[in-house]
Coordinates of all heavy atoms in Angstrom, one line a residue:
Chain B
T80 N 13.8 38.9 -7.8 CA 14.8 39.2 -6.8 C 14.3 40.2 -5.8 O 13.4 40.9 -6.1 CB 16.1 39.7 -7.5 OG1 15.7 40.8 -8.2 CG2 16.6 38.6 -8.4
F81 N 15.0 40.3 -4.7 CA 14.9 41.5 -3.9 C 16.3 42.0 -3.7 O 17.3 41.2 -3.8 CB 14.2 41.2 -2.6 CG 14.9 40.3 -1.7 CD1 15.7 40.9 -0.6 CD2 14.8 39.0 -1.8 CE1 16.3 40.1 0.2 CE2 15.5 38.1 -0.9 CZ 16.2 38.7 0.1
G82 N 16.4 43.2 -3.5 CA 17.8 43.7 -3.4 C 17.8 45.1 -2.9 O 16.8 45.8 -2.6
I83 N 19.0 45.6 -2.7 CA 19.2 46.9 -2.1 C 19.9 47.7 -3.2 O 20.9 47.3 -3.8 CB 20.0 46.9 -0.9 CG1 19.2 46.1 0.2 CG2 20.4 48.3 -0.4 CD1 20.0 45.9 1.5
L84 N 19.4 48.9 -3.5 CA 20.0 49.8 -4.4 C 20.4 51.0 -3.7 O 19.6 51.7 -3.1 CB 19.1 50.1 -5.6 CG 19.5 51.2 -6.5 CD1 20.8 50.7 -7.3 CD2 18.4 51.5 -7.5
L85 N 21.7 51.3 -3.7 CA 22.2 52.5 -3.1 C 22.8 53.5 -4.1 O 23.8 53.1 -4.7 CB 23.2 52.2 -2.0 CG 22.8 51.3 -0.9 CD1 23.9 51.0 0.1 CD2 21.6 51.9 -0.1
N86 N 22.1 54.6 -4.4 CA 22.7 55.6 -5.2 C 22.4 56.9 -4.5 O 21.7 56.9 -3.4 CB 22.2 55.5 -6.6 CG 20.8 55.6 -6.8 OD1 20.1 56.1 -5.9 ND2 20.2 55.1 -7.8
N87 N 22.7 58.0 -5.1 CA 22.5 59.3 -4.5 C 21.1 59.5 -4.1 O 20.8 60.0 -3.0 CB 23.0 60.4 -5.4 CG 24.5 60.5 -5.5 OD1 25.2 59.8 -4.7 ND2 25.0 61.3 -6.3
L88 N 20.2 59.1 -5.0 CA 18.8 59.3 -4.7 C 18.3 58.5 -3.5 O 17.6 59.1 -2.6 CB 18.0 59.0 -6.0 CG 16.5 59.1 -5.9 CD1 16.1 60.5 -5.7 CD2 15.9 58.6 -7.3
T89 N 18.6 57.3 -3.5 CA 18.0 56.4 -2.5 C 18.7 56.7 -1.1 O 18.0 56.8 -0.1 CB 18.2 54.9 -2.8 OG1 19.6 54.7 -2.9 CG2 17.5 54.6 -4.1
V90 N 19.9 57.0 -1.1 CA 20.5 57.2 0.2 C 20.1 58.6 0.8 O 19.8 58.7 2.0 CB 22.1 57.1 0.2 CG1 22.5 55.8 -0.1 CG2 22.7 58.2 -0.7
L91 N 19.8 59.5 -0.1 CA 19.3 60.8 0.3 C 17.9 60.6 0.9 O 17.7 61.1 2.1 CB 19.2 61.8 -0.8 CG 18.5 63.1 -0.5 CD1 19.4 63.9 0.5 CD2 18.3 63.9 -1.7
M92 N 17.1 59.8 0.2 CA 15.7 59.7 0.7 C 15.8 58.9 2.0 O 15.0 59.3 3.0 CB 15.0 58.8 -0.3 CG 13.5 58.8 -0.1 SD 12.7 60.4 -0.4 CE 11.1 60.1 0.3
Q93 N 16.6 57.9 2.1 CA 16.7 57.2 3.4 C 17.1 58.1 4.5 O 16.5 58.0 5.6 CB 17.6 56.0 3.2 CG 17.5 55.0 4.4 CD 18.4 53.9 4.3 OE1 19.6 54.1 4.0 NE2 17.9 52.7 4.5
L94 N 18.1 58.9 4.2 CA 18.6 59.8 5.3 C 17.5 60.7 5.7 O 17.3 61.0 6.9 CB 19.8 60.5 4.8 CG 20.5 61.4 5.8 CD1 21.1 60.5 6.9 CD2 21.6 62.3 5.3
I95 N 16.8 61.3 4.7 CA 15.7 62.2 5.1 C 14.7 61.6 6.0 O 14.3 62.1 7.1 CB 15.0 62.7 3.8 CG1 15.9 63.5 3.0 CG2 13.8 63.6 4.2 CD1 15.3 63.8 1.6
V96 N 14.3 60.4 5.6 CA 13.3 59.7 6.4 C 13.8 59.5 7.9 O 13.1 59.7 8.8 CB 12.9 58.3 5.8 CG1 12.0 57.6 6.7 CG2 12.3 58.5 4.4
C97 N 15.0 59.0 8.0 CA 15.6 58.8 9.3 C 15.6 60.1 10.1 O 15.2 60.1 11.3 CB 17.0 58.2 9.2 SG 17.1 56.6 8.7
V98 N 16.1 61.1 9.5 CA 16.4 62.3 10.2 C 15.1 63.0 10.6 O 15.0 63.6 11.7 CB 17.3 63.3 9.3 CG1 17.3 64.6 9.9 CG2 18.7 62.7 9.2
I99 N 14.1 62.9 9.8 CA 12.8 63.4 10.2 C 12.1 62.5 11.3 O 11.4 63.0 12.2 CB 11.8 63.5 8.9 CG1 12.4 64.4 7.9 CG2 10.4 64.0 9.4 CD1 12.3 65.8 8.0
A100 N 12.3 61.2 11.2 CA 11.6 60.3 12.1 C 12.1 60.5 13.5 O 11.4 60.4 14.4 CB 11.8 58.9 11.6
V101 N 13.4 60.8 13.7 CA 14.0 60.9 15.0 C 13.3 62.0 15.8 O 12.8 61.7 16.9 CB 15.5 61.1 15.0 CG1 16.0 61.4 16.4 CG2 16.2 59.8 14.4
P102 N 13.3 63.2 15.3 CA 12.6 64.3 16.1 C 11.1 64.0 16.3 O 10.6 64.3 17.4 CB 12.8 65.5 15.3 CG 13.4 65.2 14.0 CD 13.9 63.8 14.1
V103 N 10.5 63.4 15.4 CA 9.1 63.0 15.5 C 8.9 62.0 16.7 O 8.0 62.1 17.5 CB 8.4 62.6 14.2 CG1 7.0 62.1 14.5 CG2 8.4 63.6 13.2
H104 N 9.8 61.1 16.7 CA 9.7 60.1 17.8 C 9.9 60.7 19.2 O 9.2 60.5 20.1 CB 10.8 59.0 17.6 CG 10.4 57.8 16.8 ND1 10.3 57.9 15.4 CD2 10.1 56.6 17.1 CE1 9.9 56.7 14.9 NE2 9.8 55.9 16.0
I105 N 10.9 61.6 19.2 CA 11.1 62.3 20.5 C 9.9 63.1 20.9 O 9.4 63.1 22.0 CB 12.4 63.2 20.4 CG1 13.6 62.3 20.1 CG2 12.6 64.0 21.7 CD1 14.8 63.0 19.8
Y106 N 9.4 63.9 19.9 CA 8.3 64.7 20.1 C 7.0 63.9 20.6 O 6.3 64.3 21.5 CB 8.0 65.4 18.8 CG 6.8 66.3 18.7 CD1 6.9 67.7 19.0 CD2 5.5 65.9 18.4 CE1 5.9 68.6 18.9 CE2 4.4 66.7 18.3 CZ 4.6 68.1 18.6 OH 3.6 68.9 18.5
S107 N 6.9 62.7 20.0 CA 5.7 61.9 20.3 C 5.7 61.5 21.8 O 4.7 61.2 22.4 CB 5.7 60.6 19.5 OG 5.7 60.9 18.1
R108 N 6.9 61.4 22.4 CA 7.0 60.9 23.7 C 6.2 61.8 24.7 O 5.5 61.2 25.6 CB 8.4 60.8 24.2 CG 9.2 59.6 23.7 CD 10.6 59.8 24.0 NE 10.9 59.5 25.4 CZ 11.1 58.3 25.9 NH1 11.1 57.3 25.1 NH2 11.3 58.1 27.2
S109 N 6.2 63.1 24.5 CA 5.4 63.9 25.3 C 4.0 64.1 24.7 O 3.0 64.2 25.4 CB 6.0 65.2 25.8 OG 6.7 65.7 24.7
Y110 N 4.0 64.2 23.4 CA 2.7 64.5 22.7 C 1.7 63.4 23.0 O 0.5 63.7 23.2 CB 2.9 64.7 21.2 CG 1.7 65.2 20.5 CD1 1.3 66.5 20.6 CD2 0.9 64.4 19.8 CE1 0.1 67.0 20.0 CE2 -0.3 64.8 19.1 CZ -0.6 66.1 19.3 OH -1.8 66.6 18.7
M111 N 2.1 62.2 22.9 CA 1.2 61.0 23.1 C 1.1 60.5 24.5 O 0.5 59.5 24.8 CB 1.6 59.9 22.1 CG 1.5 60.3 20.7 SD -0.1 60.7 20.2 CE -1.0 59.2 20.3
K112 N 1.8 61.2 25.4 CA 1.9 60.7 26.8 C 0.5 60.4 27.4 O -0.4 61.3 27.2 CB 2.6 61.7 27.6 CG 3.3 61.2 28.9 CD 4.1 62.3 29.5 CE 5.0 61.8 30.6 NZ 5.8 62.9 31.0
G113 N 0.4 59.3 28.0 CA -0.9 59.1 28.7 C -2.0 58.5 27.9 O -3.1 58.3 28.4
D114 N -1.7 58.4 26.6 CA -2.8 57.8 25.7 C -3.0 56.3 26.0 O -2.0 55.7 26.3 CB -2.5 58.0 24.3 CG -3.7 57.8 23.4 OD1 -4.0 56.6 23.1 OD2 -4.3 58.8 22.9
N115 N -4.2 55.9 26.0 CA -4.5 54.5 26.3 C -3.8 53.5 25.4 O -3.4 52.4 25.8 CB -6.0 54.2 26.3 CG -6.6 54.6 27.6 OD1 -5.9 54.5 28.6 ND2 -7.9 54.9 27.6
G116 N -3.8 53.9 24.1 CA -3.2 52.9 23.2 C -1.8 53.2 22.8 O -1.4 52.9 21.6
I117 N -1.0 53.8 23.7 CA 0.3 54.2 23.2 C 1.2 53.1 22.8 O 2.0 53.3 21.9 CB 0.9 55.1 24.3 CG1 2.2 55.8 23.7 CG2 1.3 54.2 25.5 CD1 2.6 57.0 24.5
H118 N 0.9 51.9 23.3 CA 1.7 50.7 22.9 C 1.5 50.5 21.4 O 2.4 50.1 20.7 CB 1.4 49.5 23.7 CG 0.0 49.1 23.6 ND1 -1.0 49.8 24.3 CD2 -0.6 48.1 23.0 CE1 -2.1 49.2 24.1 NE2 -2.0 48.2 23.3
R119 N 0.3 50.7 21.0 CA -0.1 50.5 19.5 C 0.6 51.6 18.7 O 1.1 51.4 17.6 CB -1.6 50.6 19.3 CG -2.3 49.3 19.7 CD -3.7 49.3 19.3 NE -4.5 50.4 19.9 CZ -5.1 51.4 19.3 NH1 -5.1 51.5 18.0 NH2 -5.7 52.3 20.0
Y120 N 0.6 52.8 19.3 CA 1.2 53.9 18.6 C 2.7 53.6 18.2 O 3.1 53.8 17.1 CB 1.1 55.2 19.5 CG 1.7 56.4 18.9 CD1 1.0 57.1 17.9 CD2 3.0 56.8 19.1 CE1 1.6 58.3 17.3 CE2 3.6 57.9 18.5 CZ 2.9 58.6 17.7 OH 3.4 59.7 17.1
W121 N 3.4 53.2 19.2 CA 4.9 52.9 18.9 C 5.0 51.8 17.9 O 5.9 51.8 17.0 CB 5.6 52.6 20.2 CG 5.7 53.7 21.1 CD1 5.1 53.8 22.4 CD2 6.4 55.0 20.9 NE1 5.4 55.1 22.9 CE2 6.1 55.8 22.0 CE3 7.1 55.5 19.8 CZ2 6.6 57.1 22.1 CZ3 7.6 56.8 19.9 CH2 7.4 57.6 21.1
M122 N 4.1 50.8 18.1 CA 4.2 49.7 17.2 C 4.0 50.1 15.7 O 4.7 49.8 14.8 CB 3.1 48.7 17.6 CG 3.0 47.4 16.8 SD 1.8 46.4 17.8 CE 0.6 46.0 16.5
Y123 N 2.9 50.9 15.5 CA 2.6 51.4 14.2 C 3.7 52.3 13.6 O 4.0 52.2 12.5 CB 1.2 52.1 14.2 CG 0.0 51.3 14.6 CD1 -1.1 52.0 15.0 CD2 0.0 49.9 14.6 CE1 -2.3 51.3 15.4 CE2 -1.1 49.2 15.0 CZ -2.2 49.9 15.4 OH -3.3 49.2 15.8
L124 N 4.2 53.1 14.5 CA 5.2 54.0 14.1 C 6.4 53.3 13.6 O 7.0 53.6 12.5 CB 5.5 55.0 15.2 CG 6.0 56.4 14.8 CD1 5.0 57.1 13.9 CD2 6.3 57.2 16.0
S125 N 6.8 52.3 14.3 CA 8.0 51.5 13.9 C 7.7 50.8 12.6 O 8.6 50.7 11.8 CB 8.4 50.5 15.0 OG 8.9 51.2 16.1
L126 N 6.5 50.3 12.5 CA 6.1 49.6 11.3 C 6.2 50.6 10.1 O 6.8 50.2 9.0 CB 4.7 49.1 11.3 CG 4.2 48.4 10.1 CD1 4.9 47.1 9.8 CD2 2.7 48.1 10.2
F127 N 5.7 51.8 10.3 CA 5.8 52.8 9.3 C 7.3 53.0 8.9 O 7.7 53.1 7.7 CB 5.2 54.1 9.6 CG 5.4 55.2 8.7 CD1 4.7 55.2 7.5 CD2 6.4 56.1 8.9 CE1 5.0 56.1 6.5 CE2 6.6 57.0 7.9 CZ 5.9 57.1 6.8
C128 N 8.1 53.2 9.9 CA 9.5 53.5 9.6 C 10.2 52.4 8.8 O 10.9 52.6 7.9 CB 10.3 53.8 10.9 SG 9.8 55.3 11.7
F129 N 9.9 51.2 9.2 CA 10.4 50.0 8.5 C 10.0 50.1 7.1 O 10.8 50.0 6.2 CB 9.9 48.8 9.2 CG 9.9 47.6 8.3 CD1 11.1 47.0 7.9 CD2 8.7 47.0 7.9 CE1 11.1 45.9 7.1 CE2 8.7 45.9 7.1 CZ 9.9 45.3 6.7
A130 N 8.7 50.3 6.8 CA 8.2 50.2 5.5 C 8.8 51.3 4.6 O 9.2 51.2 3.5 CB 6.7 50.2 5.5
M131 N 8.8 52.5 5.2 CA 9.3 53.7 4.5 C 10.7 53.6 4.2 O 11.2 53.9 3.1 CB 9.0 54.9 5.3 CG 9.1 56.2 4.6 SD 7.9 56.4 3.3 CE 8.9 57.3 2.1
L132 N 11.5 53.1 5.1 CA 13.0 53.0 4.9 C 13.2 51.9 3.9 O 14.1 52.0 3.0 CB 13.7 52.7 6.2 CG 13.7 53.8 7.2 CD1 14.2 53.4 8.5 CD2 14.6 54.9 6.7
G133 N 12.4 50.8 3.9 CA 12.5 49.8 3.0 C 12.2 50.3 1.6 O 12.9 50.0 0.6
L134 N 11.2 51.1 1.5 CA 10.8 51.6 0.2 C 11.9 52.4 -0.5 O 12.1 52.3 -1.6 CB 9.5 52.6 0.4 CG 9.1 53.4 -0.8 CD1 8.6 52.5 -1.9 CD2 8.0 54.4 -0.3
T135 N 12.6 53.2 0.4 CA 13.7 54.0 -0.2 C 14.8 53.3 -0.9 O 15.3 53.7 -1.9 CB 14.3 55.0 0.9 OG1 14.8 54.1 1.9 CG2 13.3 55.9 1.5
I136 N 15.1 52.1 -0.4 CA 16.3 51.5 -0.9 C 16.0 50.2 -1.8 O 16.8 49.4 -2.1 CB 17.3 51.1 0.1 CG1 16.7 50.2 1.2 CG2 17.9 52.3 0.8 CD1 17.7 49.5 2.1
S137 N 14.7 50.1 -2.1 CA 14.3 48.9 -2.9 C 15.0 48.9 -4.3 O 14.9 49.9 -4.9 CB 12.8 48.8 -3.0 OG 12.2 48.6 -1.8

Side-chain angles (χ1 to χ4, degrees):
Chain B
T80 59
F81 68 96
I83 294 172
L84 171 64
L85 299 178
N86 57 25
N87 283 352
L88 179 62
T89 59
V90 294
L91 173 68
M92 193 69 194
Q93 192 181 48
L94 185 68
I95 296 169
V96 174
C97 287
V98 170
I99 301 281
V101 172
V103 172
H104 271 74
I105 299 171
Y106 179 92
S107 303
R108 282 172 74 86
S109 42
Y110 187 76
M111 296 302 289
K112 205 173 189 173
D114 194 283
N115 273 334
I117 192 158
H118 58 288
R119 284 188 295 121
Y120 178 82
W121 293 116
M122 182 173 126
Y123 298 163
L124 207 59
S125 290
L126 177 66
F127 171 77
C128 290
F129 157 68
M131 191 66 214
L132 290 170
L134 172 66
T135 58
I136 56 162
S137 294

